Amino acid sequence: MPTDPYASRTAPPRFPDGFLWGVSTSAHQIEGAADLREPSVWDTFTAAPGRVKDGSTAAVACDHYHRYREDVALLADLGVNAYRFSVSWPRAASPGGLDFYDRLTDELCAAGVRPVPTLYHWDLPAGLDWLDRDTASRFADHVSRVAARLGDRITRWITLNEPAEHTLLGHALGAHAPGGRLLFDALPAAHHQLLAHGLAVRALRASGAADIGIANSHGPTWPASGDRADIEAADFYDTLLNRLFADPLLLGAYPAGLGDLMPGDVTADLEVISEPLDFYGVNYYAPTRVGAPQGTEIEFGGLTLPAELPFTVLDIEGVPVTDFGWPVVPEGLTELLTGFRDRYGDRLPPVVITENGCSGDGLDDQDRIAYLDGHLRALHRALEAGVDVRGYFVWSLLDNFEWAEGYTRRFGLVHVDFGTLARTPKASYGWYRDFLRTQR
Ligand code: FCB
C-alpha cells in the first residue's frame, strides 16, 4: 500500500458535540477462554483442516477474557467514549458465562467508556443453524437474558453484525463457518437473521432499552463500464449485498424478486423485521466494482467466487490496496451515506459507523493512519452534505483472529504478540488519541 495517499496535513474536521467515538471488537476474535464456554460453529469449522489460512483457531486469541482490565485501560488511555464489543452467545449460554460481561461492563463504566454490545457477531452456538427458522426465536431468548442481566447499565445495543457477510461467506460460499456452499439457496439464512434482528428489537424494547440498532456492512457498487450487461450485473450485486439487508429493515419490503426466494410467506415477518430503529450501524470498508458474469471461477479478496454467479467482481484500478487486497477509497463512504439518505429519506435513522479500518503489519502503521484520516474526512463530508451521522468506531482495538485468515491480517490500533499476548500500541493508536483530543 503506497504511503499517505489521502492524509491531508490540514487540521482535522470538527464533528458535532456528543458524537460517539469508539473502537470495535468481537467476542470470538479476541476473548479466547474457549474452555469456559459452550462450543460455537466456529470451533467446529476451525477444527477441520484447511479452513483457516494459518491453521489457527480462536481458542486463546487475545485472551481478552482474562486480560480485559488491561484492554479497558487501553480504551481509557485512547480517550474513546464508547466501546463496541460482542456478547458471545455460546458463553452467555454457559453457566456463569454472563458474569464475564457483567465484569466487563462495570470496568467500562468505571473508566467512563460507554459499553455498546453487539448481541451476535457470527459465533452461533454449535448445533444451531440459521437455515432453521427456530434459531430466530432462540436468539430472542438469548437477547432477553443478556438484557435482563446488563440492561441496568447498558442503554445502547446492536442486534446483529453483518448478516450479509455471514450469509454470503458462511452459507453461500463456504469460506466461513458453518461452511455451507448453497449459493442462492442460502437466502433463508438471511431471512432468519433478519427475523432474529426484529425479534431482538422487540425483546430489547420489552426490557426497557431505548437505543437500538444493527451493524450492517455496506459499500457502493460500481459498474465496470457503461455497458448494459455490466450495469445490470452491478445492480444485481448491489441488490444482493446492500438492499437485501437494508430495504426490509428500513422499507419493510424485500427488493423486487428476492422476496420470492425467501422461505414461505414473509409478509408478517417483514412487520417484525421493520421495527423502528434508533440508529443504523454501517460497517464500511470499500466499494466493489462489478461486471457482467464471465463464466469462470475468480479469486477475489481471498475468496474463490464460483463461475455460476450472475456477476464478476473486478479490481478497482488506480487506488491503493491494503494487504488484504481491499481497495482504499475513502470517498466511497461519502457516496454510500449520501446514497442511503437519498434512497431511504426519512426512513433512515441516524447513522453510526460501527466498523471502519484496514489490515497491515508493523508498529509504525502510517498506512492505517492515512486510511483512518481519509475516512474521517469522508465521513465529515457526508455530515456536511446533510447525513445525520452520530458516531464512528474503528475496527479494531486489537490485532485479532481474522476468521478464515487466522492471525495473518492485523487490523488493530494495538499490536498483539500472539506468542506472549503482549499488547503494544501502534502509531495509529497515538494518532487516534491525538485526533480524539481535538474533538473535546
Ligand atoms: C468485518 C467483520 C469483522 C472483521 C472485519 C475486518 O466484516 O464484521 O469481524 O472481520 O470485517
Side-chain angles (χ1 to χ4, degrees):
M1 189 168 148
T3 308
D4 213 10
Y6 293 101
S8 130
R9 294 300 169 211
T10 57
R14 172 87 205 171
F15 287 77
D17 289 344
F19 207 76
L20 216 53
W21 290 110
V23 289
S24 292
T25 62
S26 93
H28 190 76
Q29 294 177 274
I30 64 166
E31 280 181 7
D35 52 332
L36 298 177
R37 59 162 170 76
E38 301 296 319
S40 83
V41 294
W42 269 95
D43 298 317
T44 317
F45 184 78
T46 53
R51 305 286 210 168
V52 177
K53 200 170 172 184
D54 55 4
S56 62
T57 75
V60 176
C62 307
D63 196 31
H64 170 75
Y65 181 89
H66 295 111
R67 294 164 197 254
Y68 71 95
R69 283 201 178 86
E70 181 181 352
D71 295 337
V72 172
L74 283 164
L75 291 167
D77 185 45
L78 183 57
V80 289
N81 58 26
Y83 172 51
R84 176 180 172 228
F85 59 99
S86 80
V87 175
S88 156
W89 184 354
R91 193 178 302 288
S94 38
L98 280 175
D99 294 351
F100 169 67
Y101 299 105
D102 205 72
R103 293 194 292 273
L104 175 63
T105 299
D106 281 347
E107 191 78 8
L108 288 165
C109 292
V113 178
R114 194 180 312 180
V116 184
T118 305
L119 289 150
Y120 179 71
H121 197 126
W122 300 358
D123 48 352
L124 191 68
L128 297 186
D129 191 329
W130 284 115
L131 292 169
D132 298 333
R133 183 182 172 88
D134 186 45
T135 302
S137 41
R138 302 279 290 265
F139 177 64
D141 294 343
H142 155 68
V143 169
S144 297
R145 277 196 308 274
V146 178
R149 181 70 183 267
L150 305 178
D152 56 336
R153 283 151 291 159
I154 293 182
T155 53
R156 187 178 292 253
W157 301 89
I158 294 171
T159 55
L160 304 182
N161 181 69
E162 298 191 354
E165 252 60 32
H166 200 33
T167 305
L168 178 77
L169 301 174
H171 293 272
L173 301 177
H176 282 187
R181 295 201 173 146
L182 300 173
L183 296 183
F184 290 98
D185 290 339
L187 285 173
H191 180 68
H192 296 147
Q193 286 177 80
L194 291 168
L195 179 61
H197 157 82
L199 292 173
V201 174
R202 289 189 173 174
L204 288 165
R205 294 258 184 257
S207 80
D211 215 345
I212 305 169
I214 188 169
N216 257 344
S217 56
H218 291 296
T221 310
W222 292 349
S225 78
D227 292 353
R228 192 188 172 86
D230 286 337
I231 292 172
E232 283 176 3
D235 189 63
F236 184 74
Y237 181 95
D238 192 40
T239 303
L240 201 59
L241 272 306
N242 288 314
R243 288 180 233 151
L244 175 63
F245 294 90
D247 283 14
L249 298 177
L250 301 176
L251 304 178
Y254 278 118
L258 287 179
D260 302 341
L261 299 175
M262 296 306 180
D265 180 355
V266 295
T267 318
D269 292 349
L270 282 162
E271 293 268 312
V272 181
I273 293 169
S274 58
E275 281 289 336
L277 296 177
D278 304 294
F279 65 96
Y280 189 88
V282 170
N283 294 356
Y284 173 76
Y285 288 93
T288 311
R289 184 165 163 257
V290 175
Q294 293 175 352
T296 48
E297 203 172 68
I298 60 157
E299 298 295 321
F300 180 77
L303 289 176
T304 303
L305 299 180
E308 354 14 336
L309 291 177
F311 50 77
T312 309
V313 177
L314 302 161
D315 287 339
I316 296 177
E317 279 147 28
V319 300
V321 289
T322 71
D323 78 346
F324 216 145
W326 297 359
V328 180
V329 187
E331 56 273 27
L333 179 57
T334 322
E335 179 186 329
L336 174 76
L337 296 180
T338 52
F340 255 66
R341 193 257 331 268
D342 295 347
R343 180 171 175 79
Y344 297 109
D346 292 346
R347 309 291 291 270
L348 180 67
V351 170
V352 173
I353 304 303
T354 34
E355 284 182 29
N356 177 237
C358 66
S359 60
D361 287 343
L363 287 176
D364 186 21
D365 53 344
Q366 296 301 320
D367 289 342
R368 179 169 292 106
I369 292 174
Y371 182 100
L372 297 175
D373 180 82
H375 285 78
L376 282 169
R377 289 172 195 275
L379 183 61
H380 197 262
R381 284 194 288 279
L383 261 174
E384 286 171 337
V387 183
D388 185 358
V389 187
R390 304 276 178 96
Y392 175 86
F393 289 74
V394 175
W395 182 272
S396 182
L397 174 66
L398 303 170
D399 291 340
N400 59 47
F401 177 77
E402 178 48 36
W403 309 113
E405 300 286 315
Y407 298 99
T408 66
R409 303 290 176 211
R410 292 178 175 272
F411 277 88
L413 298 176
V414 176
H415 177 271
V416 177
D417 177 326
F418 291 106
T420 64
L421 297 171
R423 277 85 162 128
T424 309
K426 303 180 190 177
S428 58
Y429 175 96
W431 175 86
Y432 194 38
R433 184 176 51 193
D434 290 347
F435 169 80
L436 294 176
R437 284 191 183 133
T438 69
Q439 303 299 312
R440 287 189 195 133

